[in-house]
Amino acid sequence: MSNEPQQKAFPEPPPMVVCNWPKTWRFTNVQPTLSQCTVTMYGRLPVASNMSSAVGGAGGAGGGQGHEKMKIGFCTDLDKSVLVNNFEKRGWHQVNGDDDWHFYWAGVQTCRNIFSVDSGYRMHDNQMINHFPNHYELSRKDLLVKNIKRYRKDLERDGNPLAEKAESNNSSGTRYLYLDFVPTTFVLPADYNMFVEEYRKFPLSTWIMKPCGKSQGAGIFLINKLSKLKKWSREAKGPFHPQIAKESYVISRYIDNPLLIGGKKFDLRLYVLVTSFRPLKAYLFKQGFCRFCTVKYDTSVTELDNMYVHLTNVSVQKHGGEYNTLHGGKWSVQNLALYLEGTRGKEVTDRLFGAISWLIVHSLRAVAPVMASDRHCFECYGYDIIIDNALKPWLVEVNASPSLTSTTVNDRILKYKLIDNILSVVLPPDGVPDVRWNKIPSADALGNFELLIDEELVALDEAQNNTTSHNKPSKAGAGSRWK
């Protein structure tokens, strides 16, 4: 990893964007012209005989004139109308996993089976699947924390100014100035002694326990006393010993000062599409939403076990007596931005959304070195982010299979559009899956997605600047900050 940027420090908060991304998230000085983009392509690979009727060069991989467009077979493990309707409207036909397929919207276990060494399955050039082989490096809670910690340590060891530290106001020691976007977290049972040491420094703090391998709020609880954790350990018959405990947990400092709207806690669900990890290519869906609790926020001890106060998961809140089936406890990101501009001002609102984009990009960069960036893969991640009352965003977790279940009419419209836009971005212009494509979609193909980062385009832009502007001072644009 490069030791760039050259500047020693950045002003706070991290200044990757100056715009309000519900309206536009695109970085200046990042995306060169289309004529500059089309020259970079993946090398051609042999095509299996039963795939030979494919358009031979989707998206500029060799030209498709004179070839009849192939009939695309799709396969899915999820019987969701937002998926099937999007596939069928493109003229695709559904096949089984054992048949010849071109596009597979798979569950994570199916993906693991396909990429398993034991399976012996080799994907062809005209096949795509919706998960990276080891997506869990980002979506599993303990691995996410481990990778972010390693990323920060690597930057610190290299002397990169992004790893600069400062004295912390609310915890012992120091904190990262620009990479402080995950709460203090430990993995249990492995980090139990370190957690106890931290807890005893701040015995009045509240912590949240989450099982590493579960989702939708399952198995989550809050503690404010060490005795409660020890009691849970005894009752679970899983003493904190690496050789004995069967299930790993993460325990994180609870964000007990969340931004409240109408007295209720909420978080953000944002959709991030990654088409490659090396080079990193990521896009942010503009139509994210807030998920609200149904009960007003209360930090009293008596409400510590009330998940309707503390957990924003729809899978939890929909069982509450105050749940509203009309709007589903959801609010669009655009409405949130308008609310914050009206109550806090446009400048701080822009800085908040800039910090959120910064958080997402660096969480992806943290896992990029260990991610198997298979050219057949793409992935849509569901980012869960909490904003505190100082308008600082915190990464809560990342989901590899964000729910496609629709709880309201607006929810169904949003998720249908999400899938439609994903297909437009990941497929070549002629709509035929082809891994030889350069994965640089046109502006029209992005739909409601906006470019977060494309390291290939940054490299092209820098190469162009180096060849045409040797004697000109370099621009300190947003693209340069990603180096």
Side-chain angles (χ1 to χ4, degrees), residues 173-234:
T174 59
R175 69 178 182 89
Y176 289 93
L177 274 176
Y178 312 115
L179 301 175
D180 180 35
F181 53 77
V182 290
T184 302
T185 301
F186 302 94
V187 179
L188 301 182
D191 298 337
Y192 179 70
N193 291 333
M194 288 188 289
F195 162 71
V196 171
E197 181 181 350
E198 181 72 14
Y199 175 86
R200 285 174 175 162
K201 295 175 183 176
F202 306 93
L204 299 180
S205 58
T206 301
W207 297 77
I208 184 167
M209 284 272 290
K210 300 179 181 181
C212 294
K214 294 183 180 179
S215 59
Q216 297 184 331
I220 297 177
F221 60 94
L222 276 63
I223 68 164
N224 61 352
K225 293 182 179 179
L226 198 57
S227 58
K228 184 175 180 179
L229 181 60
K230 293 179 178 178
K231 179 183 177 182
W232 170 83
S233 173
R234 290 193 301 269

Side-chain angles (χ1 to χ4, degrees), residues 382-394:
Y383 269 70
D384 294 342
I385 295 169
I386 282 184
I387 304 168
D388 67 23
N389 58 16
L391 294 193
K392 176 179 174 60
W394 297 92

